[in-house]
Amino acid sequence: MALLEVKELKTRFSTPDGVVNAVNGISYSLERGEAVGIVGESGCGKSVSVLSIMRIIPDPPGKIIGGEVLFEGRDLLKMGLRDLRAVRGNQIAMIFQDPLTSLNPVLTIGRQISEAVLLHTDMDKRQARQRTVELLDMVGIPEAENRLNEYPHQFSGGMRQRVMIAMALSCDPKILIADEPTTALDVTIQAQIVDLVKRLQDELGMAVIWITHDLGVVAGFVDKVLVMYAGHIVEAAPLKEFYANPCHPYSIGLLGSLPRLDAKTQEKLVSIDGLPPDLIDMPECCPFVARCKYVIDRCNNENPLLRQVGPNHQIACWVDVNA
């Protein structure tokens, strides 16, 4: 049995202009110790999908209207709040995009991390303090014990993100969800954070869901790539297969916009013309149809479901673009 199974998850937001179809029936699974990358442009539903898994969508205006999220066989969407709180932060932990807004500015780093330890374990305050020092050491913060009484503003952006990782790992979670944790950091620090999470995953054996719009970040880290577009998963493939043989027109466009060090000739980077569909007025046809150069008549009439194009490789497209 998979550690996490997401089945036909649907999330909507009510706005004065209408209902936003943010997540439109996505399904995937996560095995123990596996790393999955969810990629796509801003606004495609990546973050909303994982916030829905954790059930931290603001309600109202947001609402999960369908699907199942099975964690070790138990549906998180049907779980009572007391049971859900025992899972959040304990068995499934999350790192958010901006650590400065996620950390409390008036509480010390030591107190914020030890609170999570005290909440989910039977440690006393002295043991929780020692555990906090161990966690800060683990994520590479120097002189950890001397920094327990410092506040978030006294840390750099990269160090704050390390603190968030330490907090997420405080209870040895089975799943770590990282929601674009390197977006606000410079390239060097980004690489350090990715390497840190990869090392900790190998050491601790946890599964990881990494959300990003940067395909370069996940290239050497995840086992499987899920491409999202307009609230749908349009391609799912093992990492090496995805980079070697992208099959959905959107994925081909994403990869074509990246510079490649192994390119034999100096080719111009490509762009994807047009704009994503209006999520309030979603078309019944393929959501990518207005931007796709491989359109056939069926694309304008029917939205394709995921279908197999190779071992563990699926796309939601009517056309075999690589045929």
Side-chain angles (χ1 to χ4, degrees), residues 192-223:
Q192 291 176 6
I193 296 298
V194 173
D195 288 344
L196 172 63
V197 173
K198 182 171 174 54
R199 176 174 63 79
L200 293 172
Q201 182 202 10
D202 292 340
E203 290 177 4
L204 304 175
M206 62 187 175
V208 176
I209 299 175
W210 190 285
I211 310 295
T212 184
H213 61 269
D214 186 347
L215 285 165
V217 168
V218 298
F221 173 44
V222 303
D223 303 299

Side-chain angles (χ1 to χ4, degrees), residues 249-261:
Y250 179 59
S251 303
I252 293 170
L254 287 180
L255 288 170
S257 68
L258 291 177
R260 294 182 64 113
L261 294 176

Side-chain angles (χ1 to χ4, degrees), residues 82-307:
R82 174 178 286 187
D83 291 336
L84 188 61
R85 288 191 187 107
V87 173
R88 285 183 193 147
N90 184 18
Q91 298 181 69
I92 304 177
M94 191 162 180
I95 313 168
F96 294 93
Q97 185 169 338
D98 184 0
L100 194 56
T101 57
S102 303
L103 292 166
N104 191 322
V106 299
L107 296 180
T108 64
I109 292 299
R111 179 172 173 184
Q112 293 188 61
I113 298 176
S114 61
E115 271 187 354
V117 177
L118 291 168
L119 178 64
H120 292 295
T121 71
D122 56 3
M123 292 185 187
D124 58 29
K125 287 187 177 180
R126 182 186 62 79
Q127 292 170 321
R129 179 184 174 86
Q130 185 56 40
R131 172 65 172 158
T132 301
V133 174
E134 292 171 2
L135 288 163
L136 292 177
D137 275 333
M138 186 190 299
V139 298
I141 292 183
E143 300 180 2
E145 191 159 9
N146 297 330
R147 306 206 69 177
L148 291 181
N149 294 322
E150 294 185 2
Y151 293 86
H153 72 272
Q154 294 174 277
F155 289 73
S156 67
M159 286 297 176
R160 281 195 293 266
Q161 199 57 279
R162 289 172 185 264
V163 169
M164 289 296 297
I165 294 170
M167 192 180 299
L169 299 179
S170 60
C171 299
D172 295 325
K174 295 177 180 177
I175 299 175
L176 176 67
I177 299 173
D179 183 13
E180 303 208 44
T182 61
T183 297
L185 306 176
D186 64 52
V187 175
T188 306
I189 304 302
Q190 277 186 17
Q192 291 176 6
I193 296 298
V194 173
D195 288 344
L196 172 63
V197 173
K198 182 171 174 54
R199 176 174 63 79
L200 293 172
Q201 182 202 10
D202 292 340
E203 290 177 4
L204 304 175
M206 62 187 175
V208 176
I209 299 175
W210 190 285
I211 310 295
T212 184
H213 61 269
D214 186 347
L215 285 165
V217 168
V218 298
F221 173 44
V222 303
D223 303 299
K224 182 168 65 180
V225 177
L226 306 176
V227 181
M228 284 193 68
Y229 184 78
H232 298 273
I233 291 176
V234 296
E235 184 156 8
L239 178 74
K240 289 182 180 179
E241 169 71 8
F242 175 73
Y243 280 88
N245 185 35
C247 292
H248 193 281
Y250 179 59
S251 303
I252 293 170
L254 287 180
L255 288 170
S257 68
L258 291 177
R260 294 182 64 113
L261 294 176
D262 62 348
K264 294 179 181 177
T265 58
Q266 218 169 9
E267 297 178 2
K268 287 187 176 181
L269 300 181
V270 301
S271 62
I272 304 174
D273 295 332
L275 295 171
D278 184 352
L279 296 182
I280 293 176
D281 186 23
M282 282 288 287
E284 295 293 327
C285 61
C286 172
F288 191 62
V289 69
R291 308 172 74 183
C292 183
K293 61 182 180 181
Y294 301 97
V295 176
I296 60 175
D297 289 343
R298 194 173 185 183
C299 302
N300 289 299
N301 300 315
E302 196 176 349
N303 190 6
L305 299 176
L306 285 170
R307 61 182 176 88

Side-chain angles (χ1 to χ4, degrees), residues 29-48:
S29 63
L30 179 70
E31 303 295 333
R32 296 176 192 276
E34 184 181 35
V36 171
I38 303 180
V39 303
E41 62 197 71
S42 297
C44 70
K46 305 182 302 293
S47 295
V48 173

